[in-house]
Amino acid sequence: CFLALPSGSRSSKTFKPKKNIPEGSHQYELLKHAEATLGSGNLRQAVMLPEGEDLNEWIAVNTVDFFNQINMLYGTITEFCTESSCPVMSAGPRYEYHWADGTNIKKPIKCSAPKYIDYLMTWVQDQLDDETLFPSKIGVPFPKNFMSVAKTILKRLFRVYAHIYHQHFDSVMRLQEEAHLNTSFKHFIFFVQEFNLIDRRELAPLHELIEKLGSKDR
């Protein structure tokens, strides 16, 4: 039996606490700029680096935004993504992910999708909260390894999209969230393509969808 949730409760539900960009900061202004250009409907243009802006800062702001978006999208389907429904973290029959973060868990472990996504989102949150990696204060430089950290975060966030599309798209449809999911994913893909942030092999589980989204926009 499927229970429809009141729309208000669903849209504000998040899986983890939202990561806020401090109001009044330059990053907040960049986020507002991103939201305004997204409103124009041209996603290819919206992801481009604004003139005179720092690439690291632009990637940082958008990475936080994607974390929040995916967090909310996954939050809407957590009740359908369980130990029994998703005993492995997969994106279709050909792709299975095992978790390792390189510090606490060095050897990749096989775990259920909800456990994997919990590990993944907690790990991302820890990176975003680390002021040495994601400085929120003006004038504090980004570390030399910032780009490689950002690439790893985005590569991992992609896996949550891939799992939702492959294993839970029927639930997304029933919740009437597919337009929201497709727009968010299209924005994400155009962004990582613009700055070449995720290896093509990593994108393979959603290759056909990515081709389709791209061809509509040419």
Side-chain angles (χ1 to χ4, degrees):
C1 148
F2 172 68
L3 294 171
L5 297 168
S7 59
S9 72
R10 186 171 73 237
S11 59
S12 58
K13 187 176 169 190
T14 47
F15 165 61
K16 298 256 173 224
K18 195 167 186 275
K19 169 80 182 162
N20 288 319
I21 288 176
E23 220 167 312
S25 67
H26 183 60
Q27 291 187 6
Y28 187 79
E29 296 306 312
L30 271 183
L31 181 65
K32 289 289 150 225
H33 170 86
E35 284 168 2
T37 53
L38 278 172
S40 72
N42 184 336
L43 282 172
R44 288 267 183 226
Q45 215 169 344
V47 298
M48 289 176 182
L49 179 67
E51 207 174 326
E53 292 299 343
D54 176 58
L55 178 61
N56 285 347
E57 197 155 32
W58 182 238
I59 287 174
V61 165
N62 281 278
T63 300
V64 170
D65 192 34
F66 289 127
F67 169 77
N68 287 335
Q69 285 183 43
I70 295 166
N71 195 5
M72 204 162 95
L73 286 162
Y74 183 69
T76 65
I77 56 108
T78 46
E79 65 201 282
F80 311 113
C81 186
T82 63
E83 299 281 329
S84 54
S85 72
C86 302
V88 295
M89 173 62 179
S90 64
R94 291 172 51 213
Y95 300 96
E96 188 179 306
Y97 300 112
H98 296 175
W99 178 255
D101 58 14
T103 46
N104 300 321
I105 300 172
K106 293 193 165 106
K107 194 168 184 247
I109 57 167
K110 189 171 177 167
C111 54
S112 68
K115 189 86 184 133
Y116 184 101
I117 292 171
D118 190 26
Y119 277 134
L120 188 157
M121 297 300 266
T122 302
W123 176 83
V124 172
Q125 208 171 17
D126 289 345
Q127 311 307 303
L128 299 181
D129 287 340
D130 185 342
E131 280 288 325
T132 65
L133 284 175
F134 280 78
S136 57
K137 295 177 184 68
I138 290 183
V140 176
F142 283 84
K144 289 198 166 49
N145 65 333
F146 172 75
M147 200 59 86
S148 69
V149 171
K151 284 178 175 180
T152 304
I153 291 172
L154 293 164
K155 174 181 79 177
R156 289 177 172 172
L157 288 176
F158 168 81
R159 294 171 182 178
V160 185
Y161 279 120
H163 180 71
I164 295 173
Y165 271 111
H166 276 283
Q167 310 302 128
H168 301 292
F169 197 67
D170 55 341
S171 300
V172 170
M173 299 265 289
R174 285 203 303 265
L175 291 166
Q176 299 181 322
E177 295 274 356
E178 69 269 28
H180 187 134
L181 173 64
N182 288 340
T183 305
S184 173
F185 181 64
K186 188 173 182 178
H187 179 201
F188 178 89
I189 283 301
F190 284 9
F191 187 81
V192 300
Q193 286 175 338
E194 173 71 13
F195 303 106
N196 201 16
L197 298 167
I198 302 181
D199 194 293
R200 280 177 70 95
R201 284 172 314 186
E202 282 286 338
L203 299 173
L206 293 177
H207 172 72
E208 283 169 25
L209 176 64
I210 292 166
E211 287 288 301
K212 200 162 114 184
L213 292 174
S215 65
K216 276 186 189 167
D217 219 75
R218 283 190 190 115

Tab-separated table of all heavy atoms in Angstrom, residues 118-140:
chain	number	residue	atom	x	y	z
A	118	ASP	N	24.888	6.255	3.744
A	118	ASP	CA	25.116	6.916	5.035
A	118	ASP	C	26.616	7.203	5.212
A	118	ASP	O	27.006	8.322	5.569
A	118	ASP	CB	24.584	6.025	6.165
A	118	ASP	CG	24.575	6.760	7.500
A	118	ASP	OD1	24.482	8.003	7.496
A	118	ASP	OD2	24.672	6.101	8.546
A	119	TYR	N	27.442	6.196	4.938
A	119	TYR	CA	28.904	6.399	5.007
A	119	TYR	C	29.316	7.534	4.076
A	119	TYR	O	30.097	8.415	4.436
A	119	TYR	CB	29.646	5.134	4.533
A	119	TYR	CG	29.840	4.032	5.542
A	119	TYR	CD1	29.580	2.700	5.187
A	119	TYR	CD2	30.327	4.284	6.823
A	119	TYR	CE1	29.786	1.656	6.100
A	119	TYR	CE2	30.538	3.252	7.736
A	119	TYR	CZ	30.255	1.940	7.369
A	119	TYR	OH	30.465	0.920	8.260
A	120	LEU	N	28.814	7.475	2.844
A	120	LEU	CA	29.206	8.415	1.792
A	120	LEU	C	28.836	9.855	2.165
A	120	LEU	O	29.669	10.766	2.102
A	120	LEU	CB	28.524	7.998	0.482
A	120	LEU	CG	28.896	8.701	-0.824
A	120	LEU	CD1	28.562	7.786	-1.995
A	120	LEU	CD2	28.164	10.012	-1.038
A	121	MET	N	27.563	10.054	2.570
A	121	MET	CA	27.104	11.414	2.869
A	121	MET	C	27.762	11.968	4.142
A	121	MET	O	28.034	13.163	4.226
A	121	MET	CB	25.579	11.449	2.991
A	121	MET	CG	24.864	11.078	1.689
A	121	MET	SD	25.224	12.161	0.283
A	121	MET	CE	23.884	13.322	0.369
A	122	THR	N	28.028	11.081	5.102
A	122	THR	CA	28.731	11.523	6.329
A	122	THR	C	30.153	11.942	5.973
A	122	THR	O	30.651	12.971	6.434
A	122	THR	CB	28.757	10.380	7.377
A	122	THR	OG1	27.412	10.004	7.657
A	122	THR	CG2	29.442	10.818	8.659
A	123	TRP	N	30.800	11.157	5.110
A	123	TRP	CA	32.162	11.478	4.674
A	123	TRP	C	32.179	12.821	3.928
A	123	TRP	O	33.032	13.671	4.182
A	123	TRP	CB	32.701	10.354	3.771
A	123	TRP	CG	34.066	10.660	3.215
A	123	TRP	CD1	35.268	10.465	3.837
A	123	TRP	CD2	34.358	11.264	1.944
A	123	TRP	NE1	36.289	10.903	3.016
A	123	TRP	CE2	35.764	11.398	1.861
A	123	TRP	CE3	33.578	11.696	0.879
A	123	TRP	CZ2	36.400	11.947	0.751
A	123	TRP	CZ3	34.203	12.245	-0.227
A	123	TRP	CH2	35.592	12.370	-0.289
A	124	VAL	N	31.219	13.022	3.007
A	124	VAL	CA	31.168	14.290	2.260
A	124	VAL	C	30.965	15.449	3.225
A	124	VAL	O	31.643	16.473	3.139
A	124	VAL	CB	30.053	14.282	1.180
A	124	VAL	CG1	29.899	15.667	0.555
A	124	VAL	CG2	30.363	13.258	0.090
A	125	GLN	N	30.035	15.263	4.158
A	125	GLN	CA	29.748	16.320	5.131
A	125	GLN	C	31.009	16.705	5.916
A	125	GLN	O	31.283	17.884	6.134
A	125	GLN	CB	28.689	15.794	6.099
A	125	GLN	CG	27.820	16.857	6.689
A	125	GLN	CD	26.669	16.227	7.441
A	125	GLN	OE1	26.680	15.042	7.777
A	125	GLN	NE2	25.665	17.004	7.706
A	126	ASP	N	31.791	15.700	6.307
A	126	ASP	CA	33.040	15.957	7.036
A	126	ASP	C	34.016	16.778	6.199
A	126	ASP	O	34.712	17.657	6.713
A	126	ASP	CB	33.711	14.638	7.463
A	126	ASP	CG	32.946	13.940	8.588
A	126	ASP	OD1	32.078	14.589	9.216
A	126	ASP	OD2	33.205	12.743	8.819
A	127	GLN	N	34.090	16.482	4.884
A	127	GLN	CA	34.988	17.247	3.998
A	127	GLN	C	34.510	18.707	3.893
A	127	GLN	O	35.294	19.642	3.965
A	127	GLN	CB	35.061	16.651	2.578
A	127	GLN	CG	35.317	15.161	2.496
A	127	GLN	CD	36.535	14.717	3.268
A	127	GLN	OE1	37.644	15.187	3.037
A	127	GLN	NE2	36.323	13.820	4.215
A	128	LEU	N	33.183	18.864	3.710
A	128	LEU	CA	32.628	20.216	3.527
A	128	LEU	C	32.774	21.061	4.795
A	128	LEU	O	32.886	22.285	4.722
A	128	LEU	CB	31.145	20.141	3.134
A	128	LEU	CG	30.798	19.409	1.829
A	128	LEU	CD1	29.297	19.446	1.584
A	128	LEU	CD2	31.531	19.997	0.629
A	129	ASP	N	32.768	20.393	5.957
A	129	ASP	CA	32.886	21.113	7.235
A	129	ASP	C	34.333	21.431	7.598
A	129	ASP	O	34.585	22.158	8.559
A	129	ASP	CB	32.267	20.283	8.377
A	129	ASP	CG	30.749	20.262	8.299
A	129	ASP	OD1	30.179	21.157	7.635
A	129	ASP	OD2	30.131	19.356	8.894
A	130	ASP	N	35.274	20.870	6.840
A	130	ASP	CA	36.696	21.071	7.140
A	130	ASP	C	37.154	22.411	6.536
A	130	ASP	O	37.296	22.538	5.325
A	130	ASP	CB	37.493	19.900	6.547
A	130	ASP	CG	38.970	19.954	6.901
A	130	ASP	OD1	39.446	21.046	7.297
A	130	ASP	OD2	39.645	18.917	6.768
A	131	GLU	N	37.391	23.371	7.405
A	131	GLU	CA	37.768	24.729	6.950
A	131	GLU	C	39.097	24.751	6.187
A	131	GLU	O	39.352	25.670	5.424
A	131	GLU	CB	37.854	25.685	8.144
A	131	GLU	CG	36.506	26.206	8.621
A	131	GLU	CD	35.862	27.227	7.681
A	131	GLU	OE1	36.586	28.025	7.059
A	131	GLU	OE2	34.623	27.210	7.566
A	132	THR	N	39.945	23.747	6.421
A	132	THR	CA	41.216	23.731	5.674
A	132	THR	C	40.988	23.287	4.229
A	132	THR	O	41.770	23.598	3.341
A	132	THR	CB	42.270	22.807	6.334
A	132	THR	OG1	41.803	21.454	6.279
A	132	THR	CG2	42.539	23.205	7.772
A	133	LEU	N	39.901	22.532	3.998
A	133	LEU	CA	39.586	22.080	2.641
A	133	LEU	C	38.618	23.018	1.939
A	133	LEU	O	38.754	23.327	0.764
A	133	LEU	CB	38.944	20.685	2.689
A	133	LEU	CG	39.844	19.491	2.942
A	133	LEU	CD1	39.005	18.234	3.080
A	133	LEU	CD2	40.848	19.322	1.800
A	134	PHE	N	37.572	23.423	2.676
A	134	PHE	CA	36.518	24.291	2.137
A	134	PHE	C	36.460	25.569	2.969
A	134	PHE	O	35.565	25.732	3.791
A	134	PHE	CB	35.164	23.567	2.177
A	134	PHE	CG	34.956	22.587	1.055
A	134	PHE	CD1	35.551	21.334	1.092
A	134	PHE	CD2	34.165	22.915	-0.040
A	134	PHE	CE1	35.367	20.423	0.050
A	134	PHE	CE2	33.975	22.018	-1.083
A	134	PHE	CZ	34.578	20.774	-1.037
A	135	PRO	N	37.438	26.479	2.789
A	135	PRO	CA	37.444	27.695	3.612
A	135	PRO	C	36.235	28.584	3.308
A	135	PRO	O	35.907	28.803	2.150
A	135	PRO	CB	38.754	28.390	3.221
A	135	PRO	CG	39.116	27.827	1.889
A	135	PRO	CD	38.533	26.449	1.816
A	136	SER	N	35.559	29.021	4.355
A	136	SER	CA	34.389	29.882	4.127
A	136	SER	C	34.758	31.358	4.278
A	136	SER	O	33.995	32.236	3.899
A	136	SER	CB	33.262	29.516	5.099
A	136	SER	OG	33.715	29.624	6.427
A	137	LYS	N	35.924	31.627	4.857
A	137	LYS	CA	36.321	33.027	5.080
A	137	LYS	C	37.026	33.587	3.855
A	137	LYS	O	37.832	32.906	3.223
A	137	LYS	CB	37.237	33.127	6.305
A	137	LYS	CG	36.542	32.756	7.610
A	137	LYS	CD	37.507	32.804	8.784
A	137	LYS	CE	36.833	32.340	10.064
A	137	LYS	NZ	36.501	30.903	10.047
A	138	ILE	N	36.731	34.840	3.554
A	138	ILE	CA	37.348	35.513	2.406
A	138	ILE	C	38.850	35.629	2.632
A	138	ILE	O	39.300	35.940	3.740
A	138	ILE	CB	36.716	36.913	2.201
A	138	ILE	CG1	35.284	36.741	1.706
A	138	ILE	CG2	37.522	37.754	1.217
A	138	ILE	CD1	34.566	38.020	1.386
A	139	GLY	N	39.602	35.360	1.578
A	139	GLY	CA	41.053	35.532	1.674
A	139	GLY	C	41.790	34.284	2.135
A	139	GLY	O	43.004	34.207	2.024
A	140	VAL	N	41.054	33.309	2.692
A	140	VAL	CA	41.717	32.065	3.107
A	140	VAL	C	41.877	31.202	1.845
A	140	VAL	O	40.900	30.911	1.175
A	140	VAL	CB	40.901	31.303	4.186
A	140	VAL	CG1	41.556	29.973	4.521
A	140	VAL	CG2	40.743	32.158	5.433
